Amino acid sequence: MIKKLPIEALRPGMSIVKLSSDVWEHMPNLYTQPGIIRSGDEVRQIKERGFEHAFVEVEVPGELSLEKGLDAILAQCDHAGPAKFRVPFEQEIEAAFMAYENAMLHVRRIVSDVKLGRAVDYDASMATIDSIVETAVRNPNTLVCLSKLSRYDDYTYTHCINVAAISVVFGEFLGLGKKQLQLLGVAGMMHDLGKIAVPENIINKRARLNEAEFDQIRHHPQYGCDILGKQLSIPGEIIDAVRDHHEKYNGSGYPNGLKSNETSPMGRIISLADVYDALTSDRAYKDAILPNRALALMYGMREQDFDPLEVQIFIKSLGIFPAGSLVRLNTGFHALVYESNPMHPLLPKVKIILDKDLRPIQSETVDLATQWHAGKDGLEIVECVDPGAYRLNLKPFLRKRR
Ligand SMILES: [Fe+2]
């Protein structure tokens, strides 16, 4: 199991988890050099360099694997999510593509408006997010898939839409009503607008930020709140969520150091979606972390960054193998997860698309849970595979019926 520990708690022999994604704004003093800690001296040196936390692999007796560990966590969480009618994935995916593309155009527009000192078009934002909400209600897996498989040039805009979509999917899983989902989606779309007020050289800096630079970053939720707060048409729930999206469960977040029970519920949902997307997004200079690995890391952040129950339910909503994950089956063939299964997280619906050598094949869809219930000795997921490592673009497979 993975756990986030303070540097003082590191001991020789502990293994630091590889974490090369773009999470600096969430954990600026995170030590990310993978490998085994050799000595107490090494721990002292890490601390002297200003690092405060690290993710380590903690051995749990009897634990078989990362996935089995997460499965046990999910079994403790009895929030199965309400049973809902869903439109088949293939039927909804085109609408999801359209909703994503429209939202991307809209985010570019509102960012440009804010840069030019113009008001944000709130009514158009609500109308744009409505398509995302409608798709989340009809088939949320389509959005989870697109959030991982859509590749657009500019991370800033993609991230805004991904955070909006994942927040809405999580909110829908929790049973929020349509109006609440729209507000949540708009808040997700606008959560980082305050970064416009931070100098670009700081936002785009690849090296570790110094204290003065990070101080600027710490202000971006408040800047966003100030920008939106000038517009009377924008509801307080959205402004509160934007302000609180970097607060943490234990009060160590920013800008106000609020504890979880003092923050807005929408802000906490956006915080989960924000970290998940930051961890699992490819950047030009950094590798994405596989979705199941990212969820394990986030579980390791419970009681520090996240409310333990809230992060468990978030994991449950996405599944151990979130839609959009590429997995290797026990046959050696490769499949795309297209529908998670909250009741049986290890048994999602998959589309087998590649052979053992990653060559495309005529695709076949399989519901692993149905097969398991039928008592067939059959397909199992062995592991997640990183499509980026093989330069695979999986997006076209979403549209292929066979
Ligand atoms: Fe942010």
Side-chain angles (χ1 to χ4, degrees):
M1 183 178 289
I2 298 169
K3 190 99 178 78
K4 185 180 168 195
L5 293 180
I7 295 299
E8 308 81 80
L10 293 183
R11 298 287 177 267
M14 283 182 171
S15 176
I16 304 289
V17 173
K18 182 172 184 281
L19 188 71
S20 58
S21 197
D22 193 26
V23 289
W24 53 267
E25 72 178 84
H26 303 279
M27 294 170 277
N29 296 313
L30 186 73
Y31 181 66
T32 58
Q33 189 66 44
I36 305 288
I37 296 290
R38 300 283 169 206
S39 64
D41 256 0
E42 192 178 340
V43 176
R44 261 190 303 283
Q45 285 166 17
I46 294 170
K47 184 150 180 69
E48 280 166 12
R49 286 160 61 199
F51 293 103
E52 292 176 3
H53 295 94
F55 283 95
V56 296
E57 295 275 4
V58 182
E59 280 207 24
V60 176
E63 188 179 71
L64 298 175
S65 70
L66 177 66
E67 287 73 27
K68 292 283 190 288
L70 268 182
D71 196 31
I73 293 159
L74 294 182
Q76 293 165 15
C77 169
D78 60 5
H79 192 293
K84 293 166 183 165
F85 171 76
R86 300 296 192 199
V87 167
F89 186 94
E90 288 81 0
Q91 202 175 312
E92 187 58 31
I93 189 69
E94 287 303 326
F97 269 110
M98 289 273 290
Y100 238 82
E101 303 266 339
N102 282 339
M104 192 65 62
L105 290 173
H106 182 73
V107 165
R108 286 181 190 276
R109 200 181 118 201
I110 59 173
V111 167
S112 162
D113 285 343
V114 171
K115 282 182 177 170
L116 293 169
R118 295 198 290 242
V120 168
D121 189 339
Y122 173 65
D123 290 341
S125 301
M126 286 293 269
T128 301
I129 218 67
D130 190 49
S131 310
I132 299 262
V133 169
E134 291 290 343
T135 286
V137 170
R138 289 191 296 258
N139 191 318
N141 290 287
T142 55
L143 294 173
V144 180
C145 254
L146 283 188
S147 74
K148 285 307 107 214
L149 301 184
S150 286
R151 283 168 188 261
Y152 294 92
D153 291 340
D154 198 320
Y155 170 78
T156 309
Y157 302 116
T158 312
H159 177 66
C160 290
I161 305 305
N162 287 350
V163 169
I166 293 164
S167 298
V168 167
V169 167
F170 183 39
E172 199 274 340
F173 183 83
L174 295 172
L176 297 184
K178 194 174 165 191
K179 175 76 178 177
Q180 289 288 299
L181 292 175
Q182 285 178 321
L183 293 173
L184 180 60
V186 171
M189 199 158 66
M190 297 181 177
H191 77 284
D192 266 347
L193 270 185
K195 282 188 180 169
I196 288 166
V198 178
E200 263 186 49
N201 63 321
I202 296 179
I203 296 289
N204 296 326
K205 189 172 173 183
R206 296 180 186 187
R208 199 166 154 227
L209 299 178
N210 63 37
E211 194 49 38
E213 290 166 336
F214 191 65
D215 199 47
Q216 293 266 345
I217 292 289
R218 272 192 204 99
H219 283 91
H220 83 266
Q222 187 59 49
Y223 291 151
C225 188
D226 295 343
I227 291 165
L228 298 175
K230 288 181 193 151
Q231 286 185 234
L232 295 177
S233 59
I234 298 187
E237 294 104 306
I238 292 179
I239 295 170
D240 290 349
V242 169
R243 183 198 59 214
D244 290 348
H245 79 273
H246 281 285
E247 300 291 358
K248 294 183 179 175
Y249 177 74
N250 63 3
S252 65
Y254 61 84
N256 296 311
L258 300 177
K259 290 196 172 176
S260 203
N261 57 358
E262 302 167 312
T263 59
S264 94
M266 278 192 192
R268 298 205 296 279
I269 292 175
I270 290 169
S271 166
L272 286 158
D274 189 15
V275 171
Y276 176 74
D277 189 61
L279 284 168
T280 54
S281 291
D282 262 330
R283 303 293 300 276
Y285 51 94
K286 286 177 176 176
D287 299 331
I289 291 174
L290 295 179
N292 66 327
R293 185 81 170 163
L295 292 176
L297 285 168
M298 289 176 70
Y299 184 68
M301 294 155 74
R302 68 194 181 282
E303 291 175 338
Q304 297 178 58
D305 300 58
F306 304 122
D307 177 291
L309 181 61
E310 289 172 3
V311 73
Q312 281 182 54
I313 299 173
F314 182 74
I315 293 169
K316 190 140 198 160
S317 75
L318 293 183
I320 287 176
F321 302 111
S325 301
L326 181 67
V327 293
R328 184 174 293 127
L329 303 172
N330 53 345
T331 54
F333 280 43
H334 297 79
L336 186 63
V337 175
Y338 72 93
E339 200 166 303
S340 62
N341 183 339
M343 296 304 292
H344 298 285
L346 295 175
L347 302 171
K349 289 182 184 169
V350 300
K351 187 183 278 192
I352 306 169
I353 53 172
L354 304 168
D355 69 7
K356 293 177 182 178
D357 300 315
L358 297 162
R359 288 177 304 218
I361 55 171
Q362 176 142 354
S363 66
E364 180 191 357
T365 55
V366 180
D367 182 347
L368 296 180
T370 304
Q371 178 205 250
W372 182 77
H373 282 303
K376 289 182 190 167
D377 270 348
L379 295 174
E380 281 179 27
I381 294 175
V382 175
E383 62 178 345
C384 278
V385 176
D386 180 5
Y390 301 102
R391 298 184 183 280
L392 291 171
N393 177 15
L394 300 178
K395 203 168 154 186
F397 292 102
L398 292 178
R399 282 176 152 141
K400 278 188 189 171
R401 285 184 179 272
R402 295 202 61 79

